[in-house]
Amino acid sequence: MILSSAGLVTYIPSPSTGVWHLGPFPLRAYAIGIIVGALLAIWIGERRFVARGGREGLISDVAIWAIPFGIVGARIYHVATDPELYFGEGRRAIEALYIWNGGLGIWGAIAGGAVGAYIACRRHDVSFLAVADALAPGLLVAQAVGRIGNYFNSELFGRPTDLPWALEIAPQHRPVGYEQFATFHPTFLYELLWNLAAAALLVVLDRRLRFTGGRAFALYVMLYTAGRFWIEQLRIDTANHVLGVRLNVFTAAIVFLAALAYFLWSRRRDRAAQDGTPADEDATAS
């Protein structure tokens, strides 16, 4: 416990539980966060899509495909990048299916969700890029809400710290080598706040600049990965490393650059189309 000079507790306490039981049915905070986040993303995306002239109800139709694809993709990425948690001596491979225990990789969620959304857009004969642009801010809000589940699971925290907003972690949840520390950086909270701020910024910029052609979605990716780049370097949970750096740090940097390249290319393409002089052969494709 950390006390201030006035004798007040100056840390974020750990939750007593992340599961509540309604009779025989477990109600898990992690699942609630995912569900509430998904509903908010649908609601925000629906409002934006209709405001842009789209059909009401279309985003809900897309979500029916995007959500399950996203969950499967998120779990596949997590298991693929941290296989030692589920396979090998002393491990139970069946636990790779236990998503309620935590472990969803955002990169897999974005990729899987995009595949599901693309299939839905093709089935409903609507522009995938228009749907992606409408969904962009809501996805950031959904990711922010989803991080609350990490808090209740006592996972994905950062290095030890005695800052006033430090997160208390119970002894049974502390990583090997950190047993003597009681409080850590609440990286779940950093990412939650970053995502909400990024969502607000994206909405403001979109109202002023009216992003189309997938640029709002690209900006969402850039904003998220910029935050994830520095937050990831605070975390101490098990992760694979490349050249001594966490794999997700490299992933964030690569995805950021890819989104930036698309954003610039798309803007150049649209400007060239408005001038009636395609910048290159690819610029003629919408």
Side-chain angles (χ1 to χ4, degrees):
M1 179 181 296
I2 299 176
L3 300 178
S4 68
S5 58
L8 300 176
V9 176
T10 59
Y11 62 73
I12 302 172
S14 290
S16 58
T17 182
V19 184
W20 303 271
H21 292 272
L22 298 178
F25 302 103
L27 192 61
R28 301 178 184 276
Y30 193 78
I32 293 173
I34 293 175
I35 293 170
V36 172
L39 292 175
L40 286 172
I42 293 170
W43 179 71
I44 295 170
E46 186 76 35
R47 289 172 60 88
R48 284 173 51 82
F49 190 68
V50 171
R52 289 165 171 249
R55 174 174 68 82
E56 186 173 357
L58 187 279
I59 297 299
S60 296
D61 293 337
V62 170
I64 292 174
W65 287 81
I67 291 175
F69 271 77
I71 292 175
V72 172
R75 190 60 175 179
I76 289 175
Y77 180 88
H78 167 71
V79 174
T81 54
D82 292 298
E84 67 279 359
L85 299 178
Y86 307 98
F87 307 103
E89 186 177 355
R91 300 294 182 176
R92 299 176 63 224
I94 187 64
E95 293 185 1
L97 303 177
Y98 294 177
I99 64 172
W100 52 85
N101 287 336
L104 296 176
I106 184 60
W107 317 113
I110 294 174
V115 170
Y118 180 78
I119 293 173
C121 289
R122 291 293 299 269
R123 289 173 62 88
H124 291 282
D125 193 27
V126 66
S127 168
F128 169 71
L129 294 179
V131 168
D133 284 338
L135 283 170
L139 293 177
L140 283 164
V141 174
Q143 289 169 229
V145 174
R147 282 305 181 200
I148 297 176
N150 299 132
Y151 167 63
F152 280 94
N153 279 358
S154 294
E155 62 185 1
L156 306 190
F157 46 87
R159 296 192 296 265
T161 182
D162 58 359
L163 290 169
W165 55 86
L167 174 66
E168 176 199 31
I169 296 296
Q172 66 270 26
H173 296 299
R174 297 172 193 168
V176 175
Y178 293 90
E179 295 89 347
Q180 71 274 32
F181 298 101
T183 55
F184 301 77
H185 279 285
T187 49
F188 83 92
L189 180 60
Y190 297 165
E191 189 168 329
L192 186 159
L193 296 175
W194 178 276
N195 287 347
L196 291 179
L201 177 61
L202 179 52
V203 168
V204 171
L205 291 177
D206 194 30
R207 285 178 178 174
R208 293 184 179 181
L209 303 176
R210 192 68 175 181
F211 296 123
T212 58
R215 287 194 292 279
F217 187 82
L219 185 55
Y220 143 65
V221 173
M222 284 189 282
L223 289 170
Y224 174 72
T225 52
R228 186 63 182 269
F229 182 85
W230 67 268
I231 293 171
E232 187 71 26
Q233 296 180 71
L234 290 175
R235 284 169 47 174
I236 56 174
D237 52 295
T238 302
N240 289 318
H241 290 69
V242 177
L243 301 177
V245 178
R246 293 171 66 94
L247 175 61
N248 281 335
V249 174
F250 282 102
T251 303
I254 292 170
V255 175
F256 175 89
L257 292 174
L260 176 60
Y262 176 82
F263 185 94
L264 296 175
W265 171 83
S266 177
R267 185 176 64 173
R268 180 169 174 248
R269 175 200 62 188
D270 288 356
R271 285 181 175 177
Q274 291 174 2
D275 295 338
T277 55
D280 49 46
E281 292 183 1
D282 290 338
T284 62
S286 61

